[in-house]
């Protein structure tokens, strides 16, 4: 028995030594990044951030956002022009590019990528859900090939934000031969033109990409990019401190202090394209409407009564900045001239008295059941708002439902006041000001505008901005919309969540995009 | 029983508020899109029809495709189950070895310091939140002492050719020893975290069952015959005390096989537990149904094995 034990121990030791030797072989420069797992790997069929992060590095669209900005620049298309009525957009494609599987990139690939989503009779349409197409691209009537390197996209109505939507992952171009090869398994085998190629996806564990050595643009600096699945933010941080990974997303705000103290770690953060807000239901045709909210003085009073700065500092724990406009400061068109309602309970009481509610009133405050970056811990935020309102005499009862029901009911206008937020899909003020605050979006039952704010002036400006092709003029129009929204107070804007990433200090060159996209081609690792 | 479970889960998941179309289409889908999606997945049909369609396919071993990921549900379950199985087996080995040992000594040395200490630890183990223990293990052995890896089943630099999907087995078959040791190291912390509650439970059951047996006449006889303490305890007492211990262990093992969401989340272990939770959150009806039925089947099989084991241990139990 003893001899056997000794043998086993020796064997273990020898093998351990061998294991050690094996690890000393020079590894390719690899960045391991901790995040949640992807749901699927086709850019047009995904809606969740975890999948999109992977897509961003494998696929490309005709246009893209400039690094770190919301402005558009050429990508797979070199130039484009719109017809004078704004309905026909012609894109001239970059030549000589191949997909990772060797398929040439051309007009056919673009037409395939878009038509499979739009046309229910397309042979590939049956495989996907294509949710975003009907949401962001419904204005596209068709995509046609003009010649091998020219495509024409026809819109059903003039819609200038179209160009911003074209920089979304949904408009990335996929290899048609690859899709046809895999059929209904295509979602797990992504082939694009981007700086990284797909290697493997071990579900729930990791996704591996490798450098595309034939990339047409500036090639990636790292050889391998591994997205390691670690769902728990605290476990992610420990893995980062331990060196198992070199970067991570969404740290737990309670860990910020630990991160700041650790000299090996670097935090990158900036406000993303999102907003968290308190909407006051102004729609008299909605079941949840309560009379006080018709009066702008009441809405202003509520804006004065809430100490946003304290909420953001105490409850968002440094993960957000105070919002004074519906659109975030990182998006073009932001109106910085607007003076926010400061915290002033006395003024709030005065306004309430003027509106005929000197003793306040009873109301309901709906709180989201789930935490979102733009509404970090909604239950606590609701409790804080409840206390602020109580101080000026408004007695708000907190109501909550499960998330699906909550969305459904708020879209149906069953609330008086509700907490909600928004993360933009494309970097255009239209995705905030039209989608969330236009009368077109205030249909009871399917409202994006849950304040049911229907100002005809705002609507006019929004539509004008959708049709205007001059960038500077659009900026002016959107600034005007923000003034109206500020004066009419359909919302108390609360916060813009910051996207936060943590890297080991040896990782350099990562650029934050306001859209929340992660692009790793510019990243280097010092010492490797 | 499986039928009952299938009907129950079918109804329960549909009674839960929320709608798969809504979850999938996101916060901004139009009513038409939602309608179209419901139609596509047959969610607009009457419940009974939906159930019968599902049952017909399930009988053929076809659990359908996940609404969320498009992936075949059976494929996903069969991919994740070995992960859960490997972890559960190790957790049970840990739980049984330590639990039995502690329970026996506590019973034999009743009211000794060891007994008090073990039972205190066992009480602590039963009542402690598992995610807390998991995080503590992670901080201590993963970060501070830097002895063991903390996430996943394998380091990213190794790969194992999947055959059975049990990494230890696969790495041995392919003689990939570095990967074998790496996978083994990855198993330690989650197994301890997951095995602690069963371990405490087994220790307590062993102690009470042993105490019960140690007072019996045949033990006195055995002692009177002049047998060694060791022989009395291991051959005469333990064997007779085993039935409740096996029952408890079997139940615990079956529970573990259903997946352990908290442990899996902390250690990023791609097991069945997180799969079910993800499916429930997305209201991915077919995935939830498929996974729950599969778990029910596994529990039934484990219980059957335990029942058969009784017959081996206790000759008085016969099955006709």
């Amino acid at each position: 028995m003893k001899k056997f034990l000794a043998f086993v121990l020796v064997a273990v030791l020898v093998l351990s030594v061998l294991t050690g030797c094996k690890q000393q072989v020079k590894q390719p420069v690899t960045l391991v990044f901790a995040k949640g797992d992807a749901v699927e790997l086709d850019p047009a069929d995904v809606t969740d951030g975890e999948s999109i992060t992977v897509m961003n590095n494998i696929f490309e669209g005709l246009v893209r956002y400039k690094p770190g900005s919301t402005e558009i620049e050429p990508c797979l298309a070199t130039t484009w022009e719109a017809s004078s009525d704004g309905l026909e957009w012609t894109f001239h494609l970059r030549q000589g590019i191949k997909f990772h599987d060797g398929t040439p990139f051309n007009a056919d690939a673009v037409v395939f990528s878009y038509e499979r989503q739009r046309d229910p009779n397309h042979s590939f349409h049956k495989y996907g859900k294509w949710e975003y197409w009907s949401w962001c691209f419904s204005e596209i009537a068709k995509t046609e090939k003009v010649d091998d390197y020219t495509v024409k996209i026809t819109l059903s109505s003039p819609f200038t934000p179209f160009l911003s939507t074209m920089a979304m992952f949904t408009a990335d171009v996929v290899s048609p031969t690859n899709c046809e090869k895999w059929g209904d398994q295509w979602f797990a085998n992504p082939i694009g033109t981007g700086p990284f190629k797909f290697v493997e996806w071990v579900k729930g564990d990791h996704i591996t990409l490798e450098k595309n050595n034939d990339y047409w643009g500036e090639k990636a600096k790292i050889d391998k990019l591994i997205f390691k699945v670690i769902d728990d933010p605290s476990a992610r941080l420990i893995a980062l401190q331990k060196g198992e990974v070199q970067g991570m997303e969404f740290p737990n705000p309670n860990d910020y202090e630990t991160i700041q103290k650790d000299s090996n770690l670097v935090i990158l953060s900036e406000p993303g394209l999102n907003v968290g807000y308190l909407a006051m239901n102004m729609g008299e045709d909605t079941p949840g409407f309560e009379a006080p909210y018709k009066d702008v003085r009441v809405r202003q009073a509520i804006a004065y009564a809430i100490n946003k700065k304290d909420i953001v500092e105490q409850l968002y724990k440094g993960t957000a900045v105070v919002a004074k406009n519906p659109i975030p400061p990182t998006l073009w068109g932001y109106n910085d001239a607007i003076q926010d309602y400061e915290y002033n309970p006395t003024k709030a009481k005065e306004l309430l008295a003027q509106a005929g509610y000197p003793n306040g009133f009873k109301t309901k405050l709906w709180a989201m059941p789930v935490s979102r970056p733009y509404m970090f811990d909604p239950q606590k935020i609701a409790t804080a708002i409840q206390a602020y309102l109580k101080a000026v005499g408004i007695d708000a009862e907190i109501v909550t439902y499960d998330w699906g029901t909550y969305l459904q009911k708020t879209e149906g206008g069953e609330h008086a006041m509700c907490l909600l937020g928004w993360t933009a899909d494309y970097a255009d003020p239209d995705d905030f000001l039209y989608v969330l605050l236009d009368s077109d979006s205030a249909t009871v039952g399917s409202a994006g505008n849950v304040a049911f704010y229907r100002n005809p002036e705002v609507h006019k400006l929004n539509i004008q901005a959708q049709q205007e092709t001059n960038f500077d003029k659009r900026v002016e129009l959107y600034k005007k919309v923000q003034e109206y929204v500020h004066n009419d107070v359909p919302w108390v804007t609360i916060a813009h969540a910051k996207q936060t990433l943590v890297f080991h200090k040896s990782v350099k060159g990562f650029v934050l995009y306001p859209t929340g996209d992660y692009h790793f081609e510019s990243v280097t690792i010092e010492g490797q | 029983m499986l039928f009952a479970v299938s009907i129950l889960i079918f109804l329960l998941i549909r009674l839960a508020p929320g709608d798969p179309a809504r979850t999938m289409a996101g916060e901004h889908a139009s009513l038409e899109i939602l309608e179209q999606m419901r139609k596509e997945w047959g969610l607009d049909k009457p419940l009974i029809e939906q159930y019968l369609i599902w049952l017909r396919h399930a009988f053929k071993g076809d659990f359908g495709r996940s609404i969320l990921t498009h992936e075949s549900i059976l494929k996903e379950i069969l991919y994740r189950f070995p992960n859960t199985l490997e972890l559960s087996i190790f957790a049970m080995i840990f739980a049984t070895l330590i639990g039995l040992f502690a329970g026996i000594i506590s019973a034999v040395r009743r009211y000794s310091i060891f007994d008090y200490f073990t039972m205190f630890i066992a009480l602590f183990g039963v009542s402690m939140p598992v995610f807390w223990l998991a995080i503590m293990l992670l901080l201590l052995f993963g970060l501070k002492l830097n002895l063991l890896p903390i996430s996943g089943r394998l380091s990213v630099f190794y790969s194992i050719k999947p055959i059975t999907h049990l990494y230890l087995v696969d790495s041995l078959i392919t003689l990939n020893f570095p990967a074998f040791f790496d996978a083994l190291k990855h198993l330690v912390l989650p197994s301890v975290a997951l095995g602690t509650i069963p371990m405490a439970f087994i220790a307590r059951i062993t102690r009470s069952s042993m105490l019960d047996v140690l007072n019996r006449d045949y033990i006195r006889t055995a002692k009177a015959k002049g047998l060694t303490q060791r022989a009395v305890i291991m051959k005469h007492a333990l064997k007779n005390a085993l039935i409740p211990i096996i029952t408890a262990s079997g139940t615990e093992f079956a529970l573990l096989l259903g997946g352990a969401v908290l442990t899996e989340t902390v250690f990023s272990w791609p097991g069945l537990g997180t799969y079910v939770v993800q499916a429930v959150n997305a209201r991915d009806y077919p995935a939830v149904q498929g996974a729950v039925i599969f778990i029910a089947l596994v529990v039934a099989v484990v219980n059957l094995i335990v029942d058969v084991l009784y017959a081996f241990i206790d000759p008085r139990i016969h099955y006709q």
Side-chain angles (χ1 to χ4, degrees):
Chain A
M1 183 71 184
K2 273 186 187 161
K3 270 187 186 166
F4 176 71
L5 267 179
F7 172 76
V8 169
L9 280 175
V10 168
V12 167
L13 277 174
V14 168
L15 284 169
S16 309
V17 170
L18 288 177
T19 320
C21 293
K22 181 101 178 180
Q23 274 178 330
Q24 279 162 12
V25 176
K26 173 126 177 59
Q27 298 286 355
V29 178
T30 306
L31 179 85
V32 187
F33 187 84
K35 60 190 270 304
D37 201 9
V39 174
E40 51 176 303
L41 300 178
D42 183 286
D45 207 41
V46 298
T47 54
D48 66 297
E50 301 297 2
S51 305
I52 295 163
T53 302
V54 183
M55 301 297 98
N56 283 334
N57 294 285
I58 304 176
F59 293 95
E60 294 172 310
L62 299 182
V63 296
R64 66 182 173 202
Y65 295 115
K66 284 183 187 163
S69 137
T70 53
E71 283 175 46
I72 301 295
E73 68 173 14
C75 188
L76 290 179
T78 47
T79 54
W80 54 88
E81 66 262 346
S83 63
S84 55
D85 58 2
L87 287 178
E88 284 185 3
W89 291 69
T90 309
F91 290 88
H92 304 282
L93 308 183
R94 205 174 285 277
Q95 303 193 12
I97 297 178
K98 284 200 161 95
F99 286 98
H100 303 150
D101 63 350
T103 309
F105 163 77
N106 53 28
D108 290 324
V110 179
V111 172
F112 174 87
S113 298
Y114 299 170
E115 287 295 288
R116 66 178 181 151
Q117 302 182 59
R118 185 196 64 82
D119 180 7
N121 299 319
H122 191 277
S123 61
F124 206 78
H125 184 80
K126 59 178 183 278
Y127 294 124
K129 301 189 282 277
W130 323 118
E131 288 112 332
Y132 263 121
W133 186 266
S134 43
W135 169 243
C136 295
F137 298 84
S138 53
E139 71 286 345
I140 296 186
K142 58 176 183 269
T143 308
E144 293 163 297
K145 171 180 175 177
V146 176
D147 60 48
D148 271 358
Y149 292 100
T150 314
V151 283
K152 188 174 82 185
I153 298 179
T154 312
L155 306 186
S156 49
S157 59
F159 184 67
T160 309
F162 159 72
L163 202 58
S164 302
T165 65
M166 289 305 284
M168 271 178 79
F169 47 89
T170 317
D172 284 350
V173 183
V174 301
S175 158
T177 36
N178 180 63
C179 286
E180 273 148 21
K181 174 179 154 201
W182 289 99
D184 64 358
Q185 289 297 309
W186 99 105
F187 61 87
N189 302 282
I191 295 284
T193 56
F196 289 94
K197 296 195 277 190
F198 173 75
V199 177
E200 67 165 355
W201 179 14
V202 179
K203 278 200 177 178
D205 196 81
H206 69 271
I207 294 176
T208 305
L209 310 184
E210 67 180 13
K211 176 182 179 173
N212 174 11
N213 284 317
D214 303 320
Y215 185 55
W216 60 270
E218 194 162 329
K219 293 180 182 51
K221 317 253 183 326
I222 49 176
D223 302 317
K224 254 187 176 183
L225 172 59
I226 298 175
F227 294 108
K228 171 109 180 121
V229 179
I230 304 182
D231 284 323
D232 183 66
S234 300
R236 268 178 210 168
L237 178 62
I238 297 174
L240 178 62
Q241 289 178 307
K242 191 167 155 47
E244 283 186 17
V245 303
Q246 288 80 46
M248 64 174 279
E249 59 176 6
F250 309 137
N252 192 334
N254 293 328
D255 291 333
Y256 277 25
E257 220 185 303
T258 320
I259 300 171
Q260 272 152 358
K261 276 188 198 149
D262 192 329
S263 59
N264 285 321
L265 304 182
V266 181
I267 297 190
L268 298 181
S269 95
E270 72 169 21
L273 293 185
N274 64 71
V275 62
Y277 57 86
L278 172 73
M280 292 170 273
N281 185 350
M282 301 162 61
E284 292 181 43
D285 55 341
T286 60
F289 175 73
E290 289 177 7
Y293 297 106
K294 205 165 66 175
D295 196 321
V296 68
R297 288 169 297 190
V298 171
R299 300 195 301 270
Q300 283 172 344
I302 291 175
Y304 279 118
I306 297 172
N307 188 344
K308 297 197 277 195
K309 196 167 156 270
D310 265 12
I311 290 181
V312 171
E313 274 171 16
Q314 304 298 324
L315 299 178
Y316 282 78
K317 298 178 184 171
T319 63
V321 294
V322 173
K324 66 174 180 181
N325 282 320
I327 68 171
T330 37
L331 180 59
W332 58 268
Y334 182 75
N335 191 340
D336 209 10
I338 280 178
Q339 288 292 318
D340 202 6
Y341 296 96
E342 82 279 15
Y343 173 56
N344 189 342
T346 327
K347 194 151 186 186
K349 276 188 197 160
E350 278 170 27
L351 282 165
L352 281 175
Q354 283 172 23
Y357 300 99
N359 302 318
F361 55 92
K362 277 195 168 185
T363 187
K364 290 204 163 79
L365 166 62
W366 288 34
M368 290 161 51
V370 290
S371 183
R372 286 284 182 271
Y374 52 66
M375 191 62 65
F376 193 82
D377 208 341
Q379 301 294 329
K380 277 195 189 152
I381 294 172
T383 314
I385 292 177
Q386 185 185 40
Y388 287 128
L389 294 181
K390 185 89 189 161
V392 298
I394 301 173
D395 194 358
E397 182 195 338
I398 297 177
V399 179
T400 194
Y401 293 94
D402 87 279
W403 188 219
T405 318
Y406 190 88
L407 289 171
Q408 216 166 347
K409 284 183 180 283
T410 46
E411 285 171 14
E414 294 184 35
H415 57 284
M417 272 194 289
C418 71
L419 289 174
L420 212 58
W422 180 253
T423 303
D425 301 305
Y426 49 95
D428 197 295
D430 181 76
D431 202 7
F432 288 91
L433 301 174
Y434 178 77
V435 172
L436 304 176
L437 290 157
D438 195 273
S439 50
D440 275 359
S441 320
T443 314
V444 181
S446 60
N449 174 356
V450 293
F452 297 89
Y453 169 59
R454 295 157 174 146
N455 184 333
E457 286 302 316
V458 167
H459 176 66
K460 217 167 84 188
L461 291 167
N462 269 334
I463 298 298
Q464 219 178 323
Q466 283 187 347
Q467 299 178 349
E468 178 60 62
T469 46
N470 181 306
F471 181 77
D472 296 334
K473 282 187 187 155
R474 294 190 71 210
V475 169
E476 283 317 307
L477 291 168
Y478 285 128
K479 283 193 170 169
K480 199 105 184 122
V481 173
Q482 290 167 71
E483 275 171 32
Y484 275 108
V485 172
H486 173 76
N487 294 331
D488 293 342
V489 216
W491 294 356
V492 179
T493 49
I494 299 176
H496 302 296
K498 293 192 280 190
Q499 49 165 333
T500 303
L501 284 86
V502 190
F503 283 101
H504 187 266
K505 66 175 181 197
S506 62
V507 178
K508 307 275 179 192
F510 186 89
V511 180
L512 285 177
Y513 282 64
T515 48
D517 291 346
Y518 301 163
H519 292 269
F520 286 92
E521 62 268 29
S522 58
V523 169
T524 54
I525 304 179
E526 264 179 13
Q528 281 205 41
Chain B
M1 189 197 82
L2 286 180
F3 273 114
V5 171
S6 75
I7 293 175
L8 202 64
I9 189 64
F10 188 86
L11 289 177
L12 272 182
I13 181 76
R14 278 166 177 78
L15 278 177
D19 166 1
R22 160 70 62 189
T23 325
M24 237 43 76
E27 296 164 23
H28 37 56
S30 68
L31 286 177
E32 299 91 73
I33 298 172
L34 293 182
E35 273 313 307
Q36 189 197 330
M37 292 176 99
R38 289 191 192 113
K39 208 166 162 184
E40 218 167 280
W41 300 325
L43 297 171
D44 54 344
K45 296 199 172 93
L47 271 189
I48 181 81
E49 199 181 329
Q50 288 186 39
Y51 177 71
L52 289 176
I53 293 176
W54 177 80
L55 195 65
R56 199 171 60 229
H57 285 98
F59 262 119
K60 293 184 220 149
D62 173 12
F63 287 148
R65 278 176 182 277
S66 153
I67 294 180
L68 179 65
T69 64
H70 298 299
E71 188 67 88
S72 145
I73 290 163
L74 190 65
K75 193 173 148 194
E76 291 229 23
I77 294 174
L78 291 181
Y79 159 70
R80 285 181 179 253
F81 181 65
N83 304 356
T84 295
L85 182 66
E86 199 167 64
L87 178 58
S88 304
I89 290 176
F90 269 78
M92 269 328 273
I93 291 177
F94 167 77
T96 324
L97 282 183
I98 312 265
L100 263 184
F101 178 74
I104 295 172
I105 303 219
S106 287
V108 177
R109 307 250 165 93
R110 199 179 175 189
Y111 303 135
S112 68
I113 300 257
F114 182 87
D115 181 26
Y116 286 126
F117 178 72
T118 322
M119 286 306 114
F120 172 76
I121 295 285
L123 186 67
F124 189 68
V126 175
S127 38
M128 174 195 48
V130 66
F131 64 88
W132 178 83
L133 174 71
I135 293 268
M136 288 302 125
L137 287 172
L138 212 125
L139 280 173
L140 182 64
F141 294 100
L143 190 61
K144 281 264 180 290
L145 302 176
N146 204 0
L147 287 175
L148 292 161
I150 57 166
S151 60
R153 299 180 71 195
L154 200 65
S155 299
V156 287
F157 300 111
Y158 296 109
S159 67
I160 291 175
K161 199 172 153 223
I163 301 168
T164 61
H165 283 288
L166 295 168
Y167 277 12
L168 293 184
V169 177
D170 290 351
S171 55
L172 280 183
I173 295 176
T174 53
L175 300 178
N176 188 351
F177 294 111
F180 174 81
F181 284 106
D182 189 64
L184 196 62
K185 279 191 212 159
H186 277 83
L187 265 167
V188 177
L189 291 183
S191 305
V192 171
L194 190 60
T196 298
I197 292 179
M199 181 264 283
F201 191 55
I202 290 173
R204 291 169 67 88
I205 293 266
T206 308
R207 179 178 181 269
S208 61
S209 180
M210 281 293 282
L211 282 177
D212 185 37
V213 173
L214 284 174
N215 291 327
R216 298 281 170 89
D217 291 345
Y218 56 81
I219 296 295
R220 203 178 321 126
T221 314
K223 280 185 186 157
K225 276 201 306 190
L227 290 180
T228 59
Q229 167 103 343
R230 189 190 160 108
V232 173
I233 291 165
M234 299 310 283
K235 286 208 172 130
H236 296 263
L238 184 60
K239 209 168 172 192
N240 284 296
L242 266 183
I243 292 278
I245 300 173
I246 295 228
T247 315
S249 311
T251 317
E252 288 291 330
F253 187 52
L255 275 178
L256 293 188
L257 286 178
V261 182
L262 296 175
T263 315
E264 284 173 14
T265 307
V266 175
F267 291 103
S268 314
W269 197 269
L272 266 186
T274 36
Y275 180 67
V276 176
V277 168
Q278 184 196 355
V280 170
N281 282 341
R283 299 288 181 271
D284 191 346
Y285 294 163
V288 177
Q289 283 158 215
V292 171
I293 281 297
F294 183 82
I295 293 170
L297 191 72
V298 169
V299 171
V301 170
V302 172
N303 281 333
L304 182 73
I305 295 174
V306 170
D307 283 350
V308 173
L309 270 183
Y310 288 162
F312 278 101
I313 293 160
D314 189 340
R316 287 170 301 178
I317 299 175
H318 289 288
Y319 297 106
Q320 289 183 337

